[in-house]
Amino acid sequence: MNPRTAAALLIAFWVVPVLVVATTLVLADRFERAAIVDEADPVVSVGSVVDDASSPVTVTLVSGQSRELISPIGGTVTSSSTGHGADIENGAVALQVDRRAVRWFVATSPLVGDVSPGSTGTDVQLVAEHLGVDGSGERYSAALRLAIDARNGEGGWPRDGVFRASSVLFANPTETSVGRFEAPVGSVVSEGGRLGEFTAPVVEARLAPLEGASVDARLSTASTVLTIAESTFPISGTAIAEPGLAPLLAAIQAASLPSTRTSETEVQYREAIWALAEPEEYGVVPSSALIATDDGTPCVVTVDGDATNAVQVEGTTSIGVSGTSVVPASLIGSQVLRVGAQAPAETQATCG
C-alpha cells in the first residue's frame, strides 16, 4: 500500500501495563496524528490505518463540434440579452423578435411542435419540466395551462394555452454558453436562419495522474469517487461521459480550478482527487514486530497472557511512518510483541 494514499492514520500503541507518552506528529499528506508510547514496553496493541488510495489527478475536458444556433422565428430583433460568450440559462430571455420574447429551452431533446390543450406525449412532459409544473406527465393539465398562459403573457405571446416551439431556442444540457452571436438589435432574422453558434460542448472528461506521479492500481478496477473542492462524484474508470458530465462541469466551474489549454479541443484542470468509494482498513504495527520465515513469509507474535503465537501476515507493507507496517484488519486491537525477534525460539519456529 502506498503511504500517500491513506486518508487518515490513527495509531494507538497501548503500554501493558498502561504507561502512555502521547506525542502529536505532523505527518505527510493524510497521516494526520500518531500516539506513540514508551518504546521500552515489549507489548503493543495493533492500531489501524484507513486507506482510500486517494491520488491527485488532472481532469482533461474534451470538446466536440460546436452546433449552429438556429432562429425558431422570423422578424426583427428588437432586444437581445445574448452575445459572444453569454451563458445559457434555462427559461431566460435570449432575445426579442418583434417584441416577443424568445427564451432558452435547455432539454435533452427539442420540441417537435407546439403544445396546446389536448396534446399528449414527450413534448408535453418537456414543457412541463421546463415550466416547473409537477405531476403533469405526458398529458396536458390545468396546471400546465396556467403556467403556459403566465409565460406567454410575460413574453408578449397570446394567452391561449399554446406553448409555441417558435418561442424558444433549444440547447442541450452540455451547451452552456454562446460562442458566437450574429443577430444584433435591429437585424432581421428568418425562421430556420443562423443566429450564431454555441460554444463547443464538452463531450468527455479524462483522468490522468499528475506528471511524474502514479495512481494506485486499485482505482482502475474498484468503485471510485472523484472529489473537486467540496463536491464528490461516483465514477467508473478514467473516462467520464454523460450523464456524469454536467455536475462535473458545474463543480469545476464553481471551484475555479487552475487549468491549461493543451490543444484546440482540450483543457486540463488540476487539484482533483481520485479515491476508492469504500476505503480499506488495515492494522498497523511497528516494523520491528515482524519476523519472517526462511522463504520470507512475515509474521507477528501475538501475546495472550503468558502465551505467544506466531501469526502469518502476508501482504505486509511498510508505510513509512515512524517505522510502522500494515497488517490484516483482523488483528486490530490484538496484543503483539513490539520486537518479534524477542519471541521464544519455539514460537518463532511456528511462523510458516
Side-chain angles (χ1 to χ4, degrees), residues 256-317:
S256 300
L257 297 186
S259 64
T260 303
R261 177 167 289 281
T262 55
S263 73
E264 186 176 338
T265 59
E266 297 185 359
V267 179
Q268 186 182 86
Y269 293 86
R270 299 178 295 281
E271 298 185 5
I273 301 295
W274 192 18
L276 295 173
E278 298 181 3
E280 299 176 354
E281 186 176 28
Y282 300 89
V284 62
V285 297
S287 297
S288 60
L290 301 178
I291 58 175
T293 61
D294 291 339
D295 64 2
T297 302
C299 293
V300 292
V301 178
T302 59
V303 178
D304 185 6
D306 293 331
T308 56
N309 183 43
V311 178
Q312 287 190 10
V313 287
E314 291 191 50
T316 301
T317 304

Side-chain angles (χ1 to χ4, degrees), residues 173-174 228 231-234 240-254:
T174 55
I228 296 174
S231 301
T232 299
F233 312 92
I240 306 168
E242 287 295 356
L245 276 178
L248 176 62
L249 297 178
I252 288 175
Q253 184 176 20

